[in-house]
mmCIF file of all heavy atoms in Angstrom:
data_model
loop_
_atom_site.group_PDB
_atom_site.id
_atom_site.type_symbol
_atom_site.label_atom_id
_atom_site.label_comp_id
_atom_site.label_asym_id
_atom_site.label_seq_id
_atom_site.Cartn_x
_atom_site.Cartn_y
_atom_site.Cartn_z
ATOM 1 N N HIS V 94 -8.443 -1.120 0.966
ATOM 2 C CA HIS V 94 -7.157 -1.307 1.605
ATOM 3 C C HIS V 94 -7.359 -2.268 2.723
ATOM 4 O O HIS V 94 -8.354 -2.091 3.573
ATOM 5 C CB HIS V 94 -6.608 0.090 2.269
ATOM 6 C CG HIS V 94 -6.384 1.120 1.295
ATOM 7 N ND1 HIS V 94 -5.246 1.282 0.489
ATOM 8 C CD2 HIS V 94 -7.200 2.100 0.918
ATOM 9 C CE1 HIS V 94 -5.454 2.316 -0.283
ATOM 10 N NE2 HIS V 94 -6.541 2.942 0.060
ATOM 11 N N LEU V 95 -6.523 -3.209 2.948
ATOM 12 C CA LEU V 95 -6.501 -4.089 4.089
ATOM 13 C C LEU V 95 -5.106 -4.107 4.755
ATOM 14 O O LEU V 95 -4.045 -4.066 4.004
ATOM 15 C CB LEU V 95 -6.767 -5.608 3.681
ATOM 16 C CG LEU V 95 -7.987 -5.886 2.868
ATOM 17 C CD1 LEU V 95 -8.053 -7.361 2.497
ATOM 18 C CD2 LEU V 95 -9.245 -5.559 3.924
ATOM 19 N N MET V 96 -5.096 -3.781 6.102
ATOM 20 C CA MET V 96 -3.768 -3.661 6.789
ATOM 21 C C MET V 96 -3.813 -4.480 7.985
ATOM 22 O O MET V 96 -4.896 -4.470 8.710
ATOM 23 C CB MET V 96 -3.581 -2.129 7.067
ATOM 24 C CG MET V 96 -3.499 -1.263 5.949
ATOM 25 S SD MET V 96 -3.116 0.595 6.348
ATOM 26 C CE MET V 96 -1.481 0.410 6.814
ATOM 27 N N ARG V 97 -2.799 -5.135 8.216
ATOM 28 C CA ARG V 97 -2.754 -6.117 9.372
ATOM 29 C C ARG V 97 -1.531 -5.787 10.235
ATOM 30 O O ARG V 97 -0.436 -5.451 9.754
ATOM 31 C CB ARG V 97 -2.564 -7.461 8.788
ATOM 32 C CG ARG V 97 -2.371 -8.524 9.979
ATOM 33 C CD ARG V 97 -1.905 -9.824 9.547
ATOM 34 N NE ARG V 97 -1.761 -10.751 10.633
ATOM 35 C CZ ARG V 97 -1.157 -11.813 10.709
ATOM 36 N NH1 ARG V 97 -0.502 -12.221 9.516
ATOM 37 N NH2 ARG V 97 -1.005 -12.485 11.721
ATOM 38 N N TRP V 98 -1.777 -5.750 11.567
ATOM 39 C CA TRP V 98 -0.724 -5.648 12.574
ATOM 40 C C TRP V 98 -0.752 -6.918 13.421
ATOM 41 O O TRP V 98 -1.525 -7.884 12.980
ATOM 42 C CB TRP V 98 -0.974 -4.446 13.511
ATOM 43 C CG TRP V 98 -0.865 -3.131 12.875
ATOM 44 C CD1 TRP V 98 0.303 -2.329 12.994
ATOM 45 C CD2 TRP V 98 -1.846 -2.450 12.036
ATOM 46 N NE1 TRP V 98 0.119 -1.271 12.180
ATOM 47 C CE2 TRP V 98 -1.142 -1.214 11.627
ATOM 48 C CE3 TRP V 98 -3.010 -2.752 11.634
ATOM 49 C CZ2 TRP V 98 -1.762 -0.413 10.841
ATOM 50 C CZ3 TRP V 98 -3.645 -1.873 10.720
ATOM 51 C CH2 TRP V 98 -3.027 -0.660 10.434
ATOM 52 N N THR V 99 0.081 -7.052 14.361
ATOM 53 C CA THR V 99 0.090 -8.277 15.053
ATOM 54 C C THR V 99 -1.219 -8.488 15.841
ATOM 55 O O THR V 99 -1.548 -9.596 16.069
ATOM 56 C CB THR V 99 1.284 -8.238 16.150
ATOM 57 O OG1 THR V 99 1.181 -7.017 16.914
ATOM 58 C CG2 THR V 99 2.611 -8.241 15.437
ATOM 59 N N SER V 100 -1.920 -7.404 16.166
ATOM 60 C CA SER V 100 -3.191 -7.556 16.926
ATOM 61 C C SER V 100 -4.454 -6.961 16.277
ATOM 62 O O SER V 100 -5.448 -6.976 16.888
ATOM 63 C CB SER V 100 -2.951 -6.870 18.257
ATOM 64 O OG SER V 100 -2.795 -5.467 18.128
ATOM 65 N N ARG V 101 -4.261 -6.413 15.109
ATOM 66 C CA ARG V 101 -5.389 -5.709 14.452
ATOM 67 C C ARG V 101 -5.472 -5.914 13.032
ATOM 68 O O ARG V 101 -4.457 -5.995 12.297
ATOM 69 C CB ARG V 101 -5.495 -4.200 14.750
ATOM 70 C CG ARG V 101 -5.249 -3.858 16.195
ATOM 71 C CD ARG V 101 -6.372 -2.835 16.658
ATOM 72 N NE ARG V 101 -6.368 -2.474 17.990
ATOM 73 C CZ ARG V 101 -5.737 -2.778 19.057
ATOM 74 N NH1 ARG V 101 -4.899 -3.838 18.984
ATOM 75 N NH2 ARG V 101 -5.951 -2.191 20.332
ATOM 76 N N LEU V 102 -6.700 -5.786 12.409
ATOM 77 C CA LEU V 102 -6.896 -5.693 10.945
ATOM 78 C C LEU V 102 -7.745 -4.521 10.721
ATOM 79 O O LEU V 102 -8.753 -4.286 11.371
ATOM 80 C CB LEU V 102 -7.581 -6.981 10.457
ATOM 81 C CG LEU V 102 -7.945 -7.115 9.133
ATOM 82 C CD1 LEU V 102 -6.686 -7.159 8.147
ATOM 83 C CD2 LEU V 102 -8.923 -8.261 8.748
ATOM 84 N N VAL V 103 -7.389 -3.703 9.707
ATOM 85 C CA VAL V 103 -8.235 -2.586 9.278
ATOM 86 C C VAL V 103 -8.625 -2.780 7.863
ATOM 87 O O VAL V 103 -7.741 -3.122 7.015
ATOM 88 C CB VAL V 103 -7.413 -1.233 9.472
ATOM 89 C CG1 VAL V 103 -8.237 -0.142 8.853
ATOM 90 C CG2 VAL V 103 -7.125 -0.976 10.915
ATOM 91 N N CYS V 104 -9.934 -2.609 7.528
ATOM 92 C CA CYS V 104 -10.460 -2.651 6.202
ATOM 93 C C CYS V 104 -10.764 -1.171 5.974
ATOM 94 O O CYS V 104 -11.552 -0.518 6.845
ATOM 95 C CB CYS V 104 -11.687 -3.466 6.034
ATOM 96 S SG CYS V 104 -11.478 -5.246 6.581
ATOM 97 N N ALA V 105 -10.263 -0.640 4.830
ATOM 98 C CA ALA V 105 -10.676 0.747 4.597
ATOM 99 C C ALA V 105 -11.065 0.909 3.101
ATOM 100 O O ALA V 105 -10.495 0.393 2.171
ATOM 101 C CB ALA V 105 -9.564 1.683 4.895
ATOM 102 N N VAL V 106 -12.106 1.643 2.815
ATOM 103 C CA VAL V 106 -12.641 1.803 1.479
ATOM 104 C C VAL V 106 -12.546 3.336 1.194
ATOM 105 O O VAL V 106 -13.236 4.128 1.860
ATOM 106 C CB VAL V 106 -14.044 1.305 1.227
ATOM 107 C CG1 VAL V 106 -14.549 1.635 -0.160
ATOM 108 C CG2 VAL V 106 -14.030 -0.241 1.417
ATOM 109 N N ARG V 107 -11.714 3.660 0.073
ATOM 110 C CA ARG V 107 -11.596 5.092 -0.266
ATOM 111 C C ARG V 107 -12.536 5.396 -1.511
ATOM 112 O O ARG V 107 -12.499 4.484 -2.372
ATOM 113 C CB ARG V 107 -10.208 5.377 -0.751
ATOM 114 C CG ARG V 107 -9.968 6.815 -1.057
ATOM 115 C CD ARG V 107 -8.563 7.033 -1.458
ATOM 116 N NE ARG V 107 -8.291 6.399 -2.784
ATOM 117 C CZ ARG V 107 -7.212 6.459 -3.531
ATOM 118 N NH1 ARG V 107 -6.139 7.148 -3.012
ATOM 119 N NH2 ARG V 107 -7.092 5.807 -4.681
ATOM 120 N N ASP V 108 -13.109 6.385 -1.510
ATOM 121 C CA ASP V 108 -14.064 6.652 -2.589
ATOM 122 C C ASP V 108 -13.937 8.216 -2.860
ATOM 123 O O ASP V 108 -13.435 9.060 -1.987
ATOM 124 C CB ASP V 108 -15.384 6.220 -2.469
ATOM 125 C CG ASP V 108 -16.208 6.929 -1.337
ATOM 126 O OD1 ASP V 108 -16.194 8.252 -1.259
ATOM 127 O OD2 ASP V 108 -16.849 6.161 -0.522
ATOM 128 N N PRO V 109 -14.494 8.713 -3.958
ATOM 129 C CA PRO V 109 -14.335 10.266 -4.415
ATOM 130 C C PRO V 109 -15.271 11.226 -3.692
ATOM 131 O O PRO V 109 -15.232 12.385 -3.864
ATOM 132 C CB PRO V 109 -14.470 10.073 -5.847
ATOM 133 C CG PRO V 109 -15.456 8.977 -6.121
ATOM 134 C CD PRO V 109 -15.147 8.066 -5.064
ATOM 135 N N SER V 110 -16.237 10.667 -2.902
ATOM 136 C CA SER V 110 -17.214 11.606 -2.334
ATOM 137 C C SER V 110 -16.724 12.117 -0.928
ATOM 138 O O SER V 110 -16.070 11.469 -0.286
ATOM 139 C CB SER V 110 -18.504 10.766 -1.993
ATOM 140 O OG SER V 110 -19.556 11.574 -1.286
ATOM 141 N N GLU V 111 -17.083 13.325 -0.841
ATOM 142 C CA GLU V 111 -16.675 14.087 0.391
ATOM 143 C C GLU V 111 -17.896 14.090 1.463
ATOM 144 O O GLU V 111 -17.742 14.491 2.597
ATOM 145 C CB GLU V 111 -16.215 15.537 0.246
ATOM 146 C CG GLU V 111 -14.957 15.415 -0.640
ATOM 147 C CD GLU V 111 -14.363 16.804 -0.886
ATOM 148 O OE1 GLU V 111 -15.055 17.815 -0.677
ATOM 149 O OE2 GLU V 111 -13.224 16.874 -1.585
ATOM 150 N N ALA V 112 -19.040 13.478 1.175
ATOM 151 C CA ALA V 112 -20.082 13.369 1.947
ATOM 152 C C ALA V 112 -19.950 12.295 2.978
ATOM 153 O O ALA V 112 -19.438 11.277 2.726
ATOM 154 C CB ALA V 112 -21.389 13.024 1.161
ATOM 155 N N SER V 113 -20.330 12.606 4.230
ATOM 156 C CA SER V 113 -20.129 11.690 5.317
ATOM 157 C C SER V 113 -21.155 10.490 5.101
ATOM 158 O O SER V 113 -22.253 10.674 4.586
ATOM 159 C CB SER V 113 -20.457 12.298 6.682
ATOM 160 O OG SER V 113 -21.840 12.703 6.729
ATOM 161 N N PRO V 114 -20.721 9.283 5.586
ATOM 162 C CA PRO V 114 -21.596 8.174 5.473
ATOM 163 C C PRO V 114 -22.783 8.321 6.526
ATOM 164 O O PRO V 114 -22.608 9.027 7.535
ATOM 165 C CB PRO V 114 -20.798 6.915 5.905
ATOM 166 C CG PRO V 114 -19.486 7.483 6.358
ATOM 167 C CD PRO V 114 -19.457 8.886 6.059
ATOM 168 N N VAL V 115 -24.044 7.817 6.178
ATOM 169 C CA VAL V 115 -25.110 8.044 7.108
ATOM 170 C C VAL V 115 -25.586 6.694 7.443
ATOM 171 O O VAL V 115 -25.965 5.822 6.651
ATOM 172 C CB VAL V 115 -26.284 8.835 6.236
ATOM 173 C CG1 VAL V 115 -27.532 9.039 7.028
ATOM 174 C CG2 VAL V 115 -25.778 10.187 5.825
ATOM 175 N N THR V 116 -25.905 6.550 8.654
ATOM 176 C CA THR V 116 -26.397 5.354 9.263
ATOM 177 C C THR V 116 -27.829 5.344 9.056
ATOM 178 O O THR V 116 -28.541 6.303 9.590
ATOM 179 C CB THR V 116 -26.028 5.045 10.741
ATOM 180 O OG1 THR V 116 -24.644 5.167 10.884
ATOM 181 C CG2 THR V 116 -26.520 3.811 11.294
ATOM 182 N N GLY V 117 -28.479 4.368 8.462
ATOM 183 C CA GLY V 117 -29.891 4.383 8.178
ATOM 184 C C GLY V 117 -30.641 3.923 9.427
ATOM 185 O O GLY V 117 -30.128 3.377 10.368
ATOM 186 N N VAL V 118 -31.981 3.968 9.278
ATOM 187 C CA VAL V 118 -32.913 3.481 10.337
ATOM 188 C C VAL V 118 -33.241 2.021 9.954
ATOM 189 O O VAL V 118 -33.556 1.924 8.749
ATOM 190 C CB VAL V 118 -34.107 4.391 10.407
ATOM 191 C CG1 VAL V 118 -35.165 3.817 11.428
ATOM 192 C CG2 VAL V 118 -33.730 5.711 10.699
ATOM 193 N N ALA V 119 -32.971 1.071 10.806
ATOM 194 C CA ALA V 119 -33.253 -0.274 10.347
ATOM 195 C C ALA V 119 -34.779 -0.497 10.390
ATOM 196 O O ALA V 119 -35.442 -0.618 11.318
ATOM 197 C CB ALA V 119 -32.625 -1.213 11.511
ATOM 198 N N ASP V 120 -35.327 -0.612 9.162
ATOM 199 C CA ASP V 120 -36.648 -0.837 8.949
ATOM 200 C C ASP V 120 -36.813 -2.214 8.241
ATOM 201 O O ASP V 120 -36.114 -2.516 7.241
ATOM 202 C CB ASP V 120 -37.185 0.185 8.004
ATOM 203 C CG ASP V 120 -38.659 -0.051 7.547
ATOM 204 O OD1 ASP V 120 -39.299 -1.072 7.896
ATOM 205 O OD2 ASP V 120 -39.190 0.867 6.859
ATOM 206 N N ALA V 121 -37.475 -3.127 8.961
ATOM 207 C CA ALA V 121 -37.632 -4.480 8.460
ATOM 208 C C ALA V 121 -38.104 -4.646 6.999
ATOM 209 O O ALA V 121 -37.744 -5.631 6.348
ATOM 210 C CB ALA V 121 -38.454 -5.260 9.416
#
Side-chain angles (χ1 to χ4, degrees):
H94 301 277
L95 300 174
M96 298 180 75
R97 177 190 178 196
W98 288 264
T99 54
S100 62
R101 307 237 184 340
L102 173 72
V103 173
C104 304
V106 175
R107 181 183 73 173
D108 66 48
S110 172
E111 295 177 356
S113 67
V115 176
T116 304
V118 177
D120 178 356

